[in-house]
Amino acid sequence: MSNDYEASVTPSWLTSDPTVWSSSRDGFTDNATYPPMDSFPPLPPLLVNPWDILLCSSGTLIACENALVVLVIWQNPALRAPMFLLIGSLALADLLAGLGLVLHFTLAYLLRSDLAQLLTLGLVVASFSASVFSLLAITIDRYLSLYYALTYNSERTAAFTYTMLVLLWGLSLCLGLLPVTGVNCLAEESTCSVVRPLTKNNVAVLSVSFLLLFGLMLQLYVQICKIVMHHAHQIALQHHFLSASPHYVTTRNGVATLAIILGTFAACWMPFTVYSLVADYTYPPLYTYATLVPATYNSVINPVIYAFRNQDIQKALWLVCCGCIPARVAHRARTPSHV
């Protein structure tokens, strides 16, 4: 067979041979007789994996979207409450994740270096870990703001928020450094996971940790719903019209919003998490791409859910973009659906 026939694709972080990103390992599966391969004209080289282009495009959108949130929170001194610090942490984590996806695409197709691959992969792992941890921290903050409503805005709350930020970023940094410090499968291909060069054990730890965090978030959101519905019930009884109470209706909308938040988070990350636990490096890379791309979309949705819906951030965005605040935004009443 002529060497000119082989497609040329730059190494990817999902497989050492990205030419098989959409095909099986066995090639042709029937027993028919085909003409010699040399009789066919050479195929044009496949220069770029289309899935890598999709991931790079997602990274660009993620970086631009979250950079706007980080800029608004950084420039506005009024946005320094614990809630905004956690939203800023989430936006910063997603911003770094987007940059990591773009850098991986750029360096993988320019340098073809194992060190560059490890560095960009470490950045992506640390950033997405910080993003998930920030979501958990936001959930804890929302629960505490309802459970300790009278003492929430205190110095003790601020100190607790700073402690959560230090812990989540410190743990994320440690997870991101693992591939760079030697916990990788470059020396032994058989230990690779679906995300090369992460080892199977490394990915298993990350996946199990995610499932535990998701379970904790689910439990906290259930408690939040109970508290919110209890408050709405008490207020509605005072009006003697439970179903017709405006506060009850908006609170019900708030509970629906919480369900959407948790459902979106699970829909984005759960397929990749489960697949990472059951699969290994022998599985077709197509399956890894098909589950990894939706996971990155969670970082696209996060600013919409946690930042752009917030009225204070909306006002700050209007000031940054056009130097004014529309009357409909300035005088909009806050409702329980904005939890």
Side-chain angles (χ1 to χ4, degrees), residues 174 177-184:
C174 292
L177 288 175
L178 288 178
V180 183
T181 55
V183 185
N184 58 69

Side-chain angles (χ1 to χ4, degrees), residues 13 55 58-68 70 88-105 119-131 134 168-169 172-173 296 299 303:
W13 57 2
L55 283 174
S58 299
T60 303
L61 177 60
I62 292 170
C64 294
E65 196 177 14
N66 287 278
L68 181 60
V70 172
S89 172
L90 175 63
L92 179 60
D94 288 334
L95 168 61
L96 294 176
L99 292 177
L101 293 174
V102 175
L103 284 175
H104 167 75
F105 177 85
L119 290 175
T120 55
L121 181 61
L123 174 60
V124 171
V125 170
S127 302
F128 278 123
S129 298
S131 177
S134 294
L168 74 88
W169 280 100
S172 300
L173 181 60
T296 64
S299 295

